Structure formats: structure tokens, C-alpha cells
Amino acid sequence: QVQLVESGGGLVQAGGSLRLSCAVSGSIFRINAAGWYRQTPGKQRELVAQITSGRELNYADSVKGRFTISRDNAWNTVYLQMNNLKPEDTAVYYCNVVEFTVVRAFVDYWGQGTQVTVSS
């Protein structure tokens, strides 16, 4: 059973930094990509940052230059370094892993989410 466990969220003042971690465990055939999404009440979940198996990086325009996604070589942990945080970054942040299965299908896994609150 695949589990994603996020940590590192909390309350921070505008301009501050936080580092989110996502611990990945369980049996995964091949990870195609991993990423961080965020969601606020009444809004759809949105992609914040993604890293692919080819180490391609994708960022939402709103976080470019401020957030950095990374991972360890074994895909055991995925990180999101968030600098110069703004009140509009306040959201629940979710870790996502996309598995490319042995039968050539894509399966999404999600963490339980971690709250990030940025005060002005």
C-alpha cells in the first residue's frame, strides 16, 4: 500500500520560508512524476510544482522564483522549499505521486495535506 505523508506546514509571516517534505513509502513500480498541489476553500486544487522522472521541473507562474521542488535519488522524499511567502500562498498543500504501472497505466496517489498559513 502506497503512503504519502506530508510535513513541514505551519504558520509563518509574509516574507518567511517553509520547507515541506513528503515521505513516500510502499510498493511503486515506477514513479513518473511527483508534485505539490494546493487548495483553498471553494477553489479547485491547483498544481504548484512538479518534478518528473527525467528531472523536468514545472512551476505555477505564481510561485516561479520563490518555490523549489526537489527529491532524493530514490524517490523516498519529495521536498518543496518555499521562500518569500505571501498571504496568497495560504492553502492546504498536498503531495502527489504518479505511478507508471506494470500494465502501462498511470495511477495517482495523494497525501493527506498539510496546512500552510502566511500572515500579513
Side-chain angles (χ1 to χ4, degrees), residues 2-5 21-26 28 31 34 74-78 95-97 109:
V2 175
Q3 275 195 317
L4 309 181
V5 179
S21 298
C22 174
V24 182
S25 62
I28 299 178
I31 293 181
W75 288 103
N76 290 326
T77 309
V78 182
C95 179
N96 166 262
V97 166
Y109 299 99

Side-chain angles (χ1 to χ4, degrees), residues 10-23:
L11 173 64
V12 64
Q13 286 190 329
S17 298
L18 284 174
R19 189 192 197 202
L20 304 184
S21 298
C22 174

Side-chain angles (χ1 to χ4, degrees), residues 1 4 11-13 24 26 29 34-36 38 43 49 57 72-73 91 96 99 105 109-112 114:
Q1 183 177 355
L4 309 181
L11 173 64
V12 64
Q13 286 190 329
V24 182
F29 177 69
W36 290 91
R38 65 187 181 189
K43 292 190 175 181
L57 304 177
D72 64 15
N73 286 334
N96 166 262
E99 178 188 14
Y109 299 99
W110 294 92
Q112 80 287 354
T114 185

